[in-house]
Amino acid sequence: MNLSRKLLILVPYSWLVVLFLIPFGIVLKISLSDIALSIPPYTPKLEIFSSSAEWLQYFMALDLENFIFLSEDRLYYVAYLSSLKIASISTLITLLIGYPIAYGMAKSPEHWRPTLIMMVILPFWTSFLIRIYAWMGLLSNEGLLNQFLIWTGIIDGPLIILNTNWAVYIGIVYAYLPFMILPIYASLEKMDVSLVEAAEDLGCSATSAFWLITAPLSKPGIIAGCFLVFIPALGEFVIPSLLGGSDTMMIGKVLWEEFFSNRDWPVASSVAIILLLLLIIPIILFQRNEHKQREVER
Amino acid sequence: MNQSRFSWFNATSLTFGFAFLYLPMLILVIYSFNESRLVTVWAGFSTKWYGKLLQNDAFLDAAWVTLNVGIWSSTIATVLGTMAAYVMVRSGRFLGRELFSGMIYAPLVMPEVITGLALLLFFLAIGLDRGMVTIILAHTTFSMCYVSVVVTSRLITFDQSLEDAALDLGCTPFDAFRSVTLPIIAPAVISGWLLAFTLSLDDLVIASFTSGPSSTTLPIKVYSAVRMGVSPEINALSTLMIGVVTAGVVAFSLASRKIMINRKSDF
């Protein structure tokens, strides 16, 4: 192995070790420490160059206290469950809205498709914060949505949507819709249309041909899309913080408040570790799905 | 199946779908030209909020910090991400390859609150003062992974024999990379840079954890203003940001389409 090749590997490698791996080690370490009224607000502290006795003493002082605290306090329990619930429901709604759009795109005239794809991707390039902010004005009590609904006579008084979980659902669906549309579109687009034609020739109705052929063949896209929405939605902070109410419990928000408002670093770190554990399962399933897909295509 | 025009069902779902995606932002843009301070009542056309925005020093300072962080972090991330992609595709086996690819993919799925928290605790542990440098380091770390994914997908489809030919003809590996590989993967490198740049401009959570009191970025500023409620000044700022990004993305995709067409006509 020559020098330049070594350098090529070493530079990005060490960057990631220093700024990604080591920081996580620190989170894990602090999650096992106790809160203290000092700066930084936790004990025990450890210098890298300590004697072996100090190391031993250090590890003796670590315990799972914060995790026991998390499991005993209902607040965190509720926050995890409600994050799971909000993320699953919004993923389902995103699928129901995203599928017809992806289907429409895949069945559109071919020269239209690049423009349509571009139109789906474009919102992704605009600021996430601004896209969520746009809904704050729309959903408020005197906002345009309520004005419109009252004008059409559907409702008499304003619906309270902003600062409830409904607004959080709308925000997640809106923000992550492109992530659902694109993989479903990709799997529908490469589907062989003649299969559906054959089914229809053999007497299938259009609806049953869809359920028997199109839907199963687009399953990989559906699975990928659902993971791409579910995984970021679970740890979401901006949406519950701006659109949700004080009773909207999501784990990203709890972690933020634990850190910035309560300044309880050990508990914030433990919350982070548990959120990671929750995420590992869907991430592994997602990777397995992607891997299987690649094998099939080969 | 008729592919030359839209069926009514597809036309409806596309219309509603794109209305849902674009109407909120369109309304936001329209109301930035509203005369009234109330964002929900239309009181006539005015550009006064843009004037107010340009006189607001706090926003201008934050915009300057954001731009600096964006340019530095995306440039470093592009270099590191391209190197990482090159290593992943070309280097074959080396010690800790699995760990390396894990570290490249993990930041893509990591919740921002965790990345932010981890980096903040790290900066405190090594005693680095929080400021522009720490935000740049943080942004570089997560966006280099995005760059690496974009560049990897281009490198995989690239014919390696071209590079081998250059080496056989006496090029040094670096020369071969510069004069053969780089021009071919350039579109991916440029879109990687653009992606890293917009991710950096966009980021609120990681910047909040890693910024110091003297270095507030635009999203942090917007977030603290927005928490108080909707304001026409923020609408004006959002409109400017949407305008810049849209113009940039459209210009880039038109340019790359033109290059593709030119290339095709060369062969």
Side-chain angles (χ1 to χ4, degrees):
Chain A
M1 209 195 297
N2 56 32
L3 185 71
S4 64
R5 183 167 172 258
K6 262 186 199 156
L7 261 177
L8 184 69
I9 297 177
L10 213 60
V11 172
Y13 206 130
S14 39
W15 183 287
L16 285 172
V17 167
V18 172
L19 282 151
F20 185 77
L21 206 60
I22 294 179
F24 276 93
I26 296 177
V27 173
L28 188 63
K29 180 194 121 184
I30 293 180
S31 76
L32 299 170
S33 315
D34 297 324
I35 186 166
L37 284 173
S38 62
I39 296 171
Y42 60 87
T43 58
K45 279 160 249 156
L46 181 73
E47 300 301 320
I48 295 167
F49 303 106
S50 314
S51 68
S52 57
E54 278 173 313
W55 274 91
L56 189 69
Q57 196 185 8
Y58 169 76
F59 280 108
M60 299 290 280
L62 295 178
D63 51 45
L64 293 171
E65 202 178 291
N66 297 307
F67 291 95
I68 295 167
F69 171 68
L70 290 189
S71 68
E72 280 169 352
D73 194 325
R74 251 182 66 82
L75 170 82
Y76 300 101
Y77 192 62
V78 170
Y80 282 113
L81 281 186
S82 121
S83 299
L84 280 175
K85 191 187 111 192
I86 291 177
S88 327
I89 294 180
S90 5
T91 305
L92 191 68
I93 304 174
T94 316
L95 174 63
L96 293 178
I97 296 178
Y99 199 99
I101 302 175
Y103 187 84
M105 282 168 67
K107 293 284 171 286
S108 66
E110 220 165 325
H111 60 274
W112 268 88
R113 288 181 202 164
T115 317
L116 292 175
I117 294 174
M118 173 92 173
M119 279 174 73
V120 173
I121 296 175
L122 196 58
F124 171 77
W125 289 89
T126 23
S127 165
F128 191 81
L129 193 59
I130 290 175
R131 281 188 290 153
I132 299 307
Y133 167 71
W135 282 95
M136 287 178 73
L138 288 178
L139 296 176
S140 65
N141 286 357
E142 58 280 355
L144 280 180
L145 185 70
N146 270 318
Q147 285 180 23
F148 175 75
L149 289 176
I150 292 173
W151 176 73
T152 54
I154 297 174
I155 52 170
D156 297 329
L159 289 175
I160 298 165
I161 308 175
L162 191 64
N163 301 329
T164 66
N165 281 358
W166 287 106
V168 178
Y169 291 135
I170 295 175
I172 295 178
V173 171
Y174 181 69
Y176 294 113
L177 192 59
F179 288 134
M180 184 65 86
I181 295 177
L182 291 173
I184 296 180
Y185 167 78
S187 63
L188 283 173
E189 209 247 338
K190 51 179 190 225
M191 199 182 87
D192 189 352
V193 193
S194 60
L195 291 173
V196 177
E197 281 166 8
E200 283 175 351
D201 288 346
L202 293 168
C204 249
S205 71
T207 330
S208 52
F210 173 81
W211 288 111
L212 288 172
I213 293 163
T214 314
L217 283 175
S218 59
K219 209 173 92 190
I222 295 175
I223 295 174
C226 286
F227 279 121
L228 287 177
V229 176
F230 181 81
I231 292 170
L234 198 61
E236 187 53 54
F237 165 74
V238 176
I239 297 173
S241 147
L242 289 181
L243 298 179
S246 50
D247 58 334
T248 304
M249 297 293 294
M250 282 191 84
I251 209 64
K253 207 177 129 197
V254 170
L255 193 157
W256 179 283
E257 279 159 9
E258 211 54 78
F259 191 86
F260 284 109
S261 311
N262 299 350
R263 293 192 60 78
D264 191 337
W265 294 11
V267 166
S269 306
S270 319
V271 172
I273 298 288
I274 298 185
L275 174 55
L276 261 188
L277 292 180
L278 270 186
L279 275 171
I280 281 176
I281 302 164
I283 289 171
I284 290 175
L285 288 176
F286 173 66
Q287 280 194 328
R288 230 178 245 173
N289 179 55
E290 292 286 287
H291 194 72
K292 210 170 74 187
Q293 226 22 62
R294 249 173 277 146
E295 303 252 292
V296 169
E297 271 158 31
R298 216 171 271 163
Chain B
M1 200 176 279
N2 192 339
Q3 296 277 321
S4 64
R5 59 192 183 86
F6 293 97
S7 74
W8 68 267
F9 175 81
N10 295 335
T12 335
S13 61
L14 285 179
T15 314
F16 276 102
F18 284 112
F20 177 64
L21 278 177
Y22 282 92
L23 267 183
M25 285 196 279
L26 190 66
I27 291 168
L28 178 105
V29 170
I30 292 172
Y31 273 83
S32 74
F33 296 105
N34 191 1
E35 173 76 38
S36 161
R37 179 157 266 289
L38 292 171
V39 197
T40 46
V41 184
W42 183 256
F45 182 85
S46 152
T47 52
K48 70 174 176 189
W49 302 114
Y50 289 88
K52 284 237 163 101
L53 187 71
L54 291 178
Q55 284 159 16
N56 189 332
D57 283 340
F59 275 123
L60 291 181
D61 287 347
W64 180 242
V65 172
T66 310
L67 203 63
N68 257 310
V69 169
I71 289 175
W72 279 107
S73 69
S74 53
T75 308
I76 307 172
T78 305
V79 174
L80 289 172
T82 308
M83 284 169 89
Y86 205 77
V87 168
M88 286 305 293
V89 178
R90 290 291 152 76
S91 274
R93 304 215 146 269
F94 58 89
L95 193 69
R97 190 192 155 93
E98 292 294 313
L99 177 68
F100 187 61
S101 82
M103 285 193 299
I104 286 175
Y105 286 102
L108 307 179
V109 290
M110 194 62 71
E112 288 168 321
V113 279
I114 300 186
T115 314
L117 178 74
L119 282 165
L120 169 56
L121 294 177
F122 171 71
F123 291 141
L124 287 168
I126 61 169
L128 189 60
D129 275 341
R130 280 180 287 156
M132 206 137 89
V133 173
T134 46
I135 313 178
I136 292 173
L137 289 175
H139 281 184
T140 305
T141 307
F142 75 84
S143 43
M144 72 175 272
C145 303
Y146 284 90
V147 174
S148 139
V149 169
V150 173
V151 176
T152 300
S153 61
R154 183 75 189 92
L155 270 177
I156 286 174
T157 58
F158 160 83
D159 186 1
Q160 206 184 333
S161 57
L162 290 173
E163 218 175 272
D164 295 338
L167 291 173
D168 288 345
L169 293 170
C171 264
T172 64
F174 181 73
D175 278 337
F177 178 78
R178 207 192 51 194
S179 50
V180 178
T181 319
L182 196 57
I184 295 178
I185 63 168
V189 174
I190 294 170
S191 34
W193 188 89
L194 277 174
L195 183 61
F197 187 65
T198 38
L199 285 170
S200 168
L201 289 194
D202 200 17
D203 169 63
L204 163 73
V205 177
I206 294 172
S208 299
F209 276 100
T210 51
S211 73
S214 61
S215 55
T216 310
T217 65
L218 211 47
I220 300 178
K221 203 82 207 151
V222 170
Y223 175 73
S224 54
V226 155
R227 276 176 61 175
M228 305 297 144
V230 180
S231 90
E233 261 179 294
I234 300 292
N235 278 24
L237 178 64
S238 308
T239 305
L240 289 179
M241 286 170 79
I242 293 174
V244 169
V245 168
T246 313
V249 171
V250 171
F252 173 71
S253 66
L254 287 181
S256 58
R257 200 173 290 178
K258 205 169 176 187
I259 291 171
M260 290 278 272
I261 291 168
N262 285 346
R263 273 206 189 151
K264 267 182 200 156
S265 61
D266 283 348
F267 288 117

